[in-house]
Amino acid sequence: MSAELLEGSKTAKKYFYDYEEYEEQGKGPAAMTEEILADPDLPGLDELVIGAWGNCWEDSCQPLLDGIAAHADRFSQIRKLFVGDMDYEECEVSWIIQGDFSALWAALPGLRELTIKGSTDLVLGDICHENLESLTIICGGLPSDVIRSVQNAKLPNLKKLQLYIGIEDYGFDGNLDTIREFLKKADFPALTYLGLVDSEIQDEVTEAVLASKFMGQIDTLDLSLGTLTDKGGALLLEKLPAWPNIKKLDVQYHYLSDEMMEKLSAFPIEVDVTEQNEVEVYHGETYMNAMLTE
C-alpha cells in the first residue's frame, strides 16, 4: 500500500493503491482496511484520506467503511475523513463506486469534517451527528435520495455544507423543486457556509437560495462551478444588499458577462468571479456546462 503524510502535517495521512498494487497484486478495499489498521502511525493521526482503493470503478469502498465501523475504537481520534480522493487518471468521478456511510455517524463521534468524492451507490442513511462541522460531497451528479438524507440530517453544529448538484447524465435525478424542498426542510442552526455548486441550472438554484431561510445566518455564499449567467448575476445584485451578514460570494467558473463581473466585484465584500466561460453555439443551439460533468 502507498501511504504518505500530507504536506506540512504529521497527523494527516493518505492511503492509496497504485496500478501495480491492485492489478498485479490484486489488492482492494478489504486489504487496505487491514493495512491501515496495521499502520503504526494510525494512533497519532487525526486526518484520514482514502485515495484509490483498487478497481474503484468496479469495487465499492464498503469494506473500508465497514472496517472503520467495526474498529471504531481504533479511529476514535479521527477528526477529518476524505473518502475518494483521486484524480481522473486514477478514476473518473462518476465511475467511483462509493458505499453506505450509515454506520459511520455513530462510529466516529469525534468527526469534524467529512468529504466524499463520487456518488455512484452512495448511501448516507439517517444522518445524526453532534460534532460534525463540515460536509462536502463532490460528484458529477447528486442523487435525490442523497439530497434527502442531507435534508433530513440532524447536524446541530454543521458550519459548512457544500454539495455538487451536477447533471442528470451523471446522477442528478432531481429538479429545481428538489432544491427548493431541501432549502425549506433542512435545519442547520450553526451553518455559516452554504455551497450549492456545479449545477446546470445555477441561475434557478441562485434564485432558490436567495429566497431561503439560510440567507439570514450564513456569511459565505458559494454558487460556483455552474452555469451562472447574467440572469443569476442580476438576482445577486438585487438581493444581496439585504443581507449584510454575507462576507464572501464565490461564483468562480461562470458564464457572466464582463459588465456583470465588474458589478458583482464592486460589492463591499470578498467576491470571486474568476474562471469566466464562453457560451458555445452549435447549429443555432447554445451550450453551457457545469465544471465537473466529465
Side-chain angles (χ1 to χ4, degrees):
M1 179 179 64
S2 300
E4 57 186 27
L5 290 171
L6 300 187
E7 186 175 356
S9 175
K10 295 182 179 179
T11 60
K13 200 167 188 178
K14 179 176 179 177
Y15 299 89
F16 59 98
Y17 287 141
D18 59 24
Y19 180 84
E20 180 180 346
E21 287 172 313
Y22 67 79
E23 280 291 335
E24 299 181 13
Q25 299 177 32
K27 292 187 175 182
M32 181 175 284
T33 303
E34 294 302 317
E35 292 183 42
I36 292 174
L37 287 167
D39 187 349
D41 288 340
L42 180 60
L45 300 180
D46 59 26
E47 181 174 357
L48 186 64
V49 179
I50 306 296
W53 50 79
N55 289 326
C56 306
W57 52 94
E58 294 180 353
D59 297 331
S60 165
C61 64
Q62 196 62 51
L64 277 160
L65 303 179
D66 292 343
I68 292 172
H71 300 275
D73 58 321
R74 302 283 304 279
F75 295 92
S76 61
Q77 79 285 4
I78 298 298
R79 297 294 179 264
K80 298 181 182 180
L81 176 64
F82 187 162
V83 180
D85 182 23
M86 58 193 86
D87 60 29
Y88 70 92
E89 293 182 342
E90 295 172 291
C91 187
E92 296 281 7
V93 66
S94 65
W95 298 358
I96 299 172
I97 308 298
Q98 273 293 343
D100 187 342
F101 284 71
S102 299
L104 288 195
W105 308 115
L108 299 177
L111 194 64
R112 298 296 190 272
E113 298 182 18
L114 174 62
T115 302
I116 300 168
K117 189 171 184 179
S119 62
T120 300
D121 293 347
L122 175 62
V123 175
L124 297 181
D126 296 326
I127 303 172
C128 183
H129 200 286
E130 289 292 322
N131 296 309
L132 194 72
E133 297 179 355
S134 176
L135 175 61
T136 298
I137 304 177
I138 303 166
C139 63
L142 196 60
S144 56
D145 59 342
V146 176
I147 295 175
R148 281 192 292 271
S149 284
V150 180
Q151 170 185 302
N152 297 326
K154 295 178 176 62
L155 298 171
N157 286 298
L158 189 71
K159 298 176 182 178
K160 177 180 179 180
L161 177 65
Q162 187 182 53
L163 301 177
Y164 282 56
I165 304 302
I167 65 173
E168 182 178 357
D169 288 347
Y170 293 104
F172 178 56
D173 54 0
N175 53 35
L176 184 57
D177 287 339
T178 308
I179 304 301
R180 286 176 174 149
E181 181 182 15
F182 170 81
L183 291 166
K184 180 180 180 181
K185 294 185 177 180
D187 182 20
F188 305 124
L191 198 70
T192 58
Y193 182 119
L194 176 59
L196 296 184
V197 307
D198 195 54
S199 171
E200 62 180 352
I201 54 169
Q202 200 70 47
D203 286 339
E204 291 80 2
V205 170
T206 297
E207 183 176 11
V209 170
L210 288 171
S212 76
K213 60 180 181 248
F214 293 110
M215 289 301 296
Q217 69 181 72
I218 60 174
D219 58 35
T220 301
L221 177 57
D222 184 356
L223 298 166
S224 62
L225 311 182
T227 58
L228 188 72
T229 71
D230 282 6
K231 178 182 177 182
L235 288 170
L236 290 167
L237 284 176
E238 177 188 356
K239 302 293 186 180
L240 266 191
W243 305 107
N245 49 291
I246 303 294
K247 304 302 180 186
K248 180 175 180 179
L249 171 65
D250 187 348
V251 293
Q252 65 171 311
Y253 188 101
H254 56 80
Y255 289 83
L256 300 169
S257 66
D258 291 344
E259 180 182 7
M260 184 59 69
M261 290 170 61
E262 185 175 352
K263 288 180 179 179
L264 290 174
S265 296
F267 275 134
I269 61 174
E270 182 181 352
V271 179
D272 188 344
V273 291
T274 55
E275 294 190 67
Q276 181 188 36
N277 293 278
E278 297 291 336
V279 175
E280 297 180 10
V281 180
Y282 184 72
H283 289 175
E285 297 288 333
T286 59
Y287 295 91
M288 296 183 293
N289 299 302
M291 189 277 293
L292 189 58
T293 56
E294 300 170 25

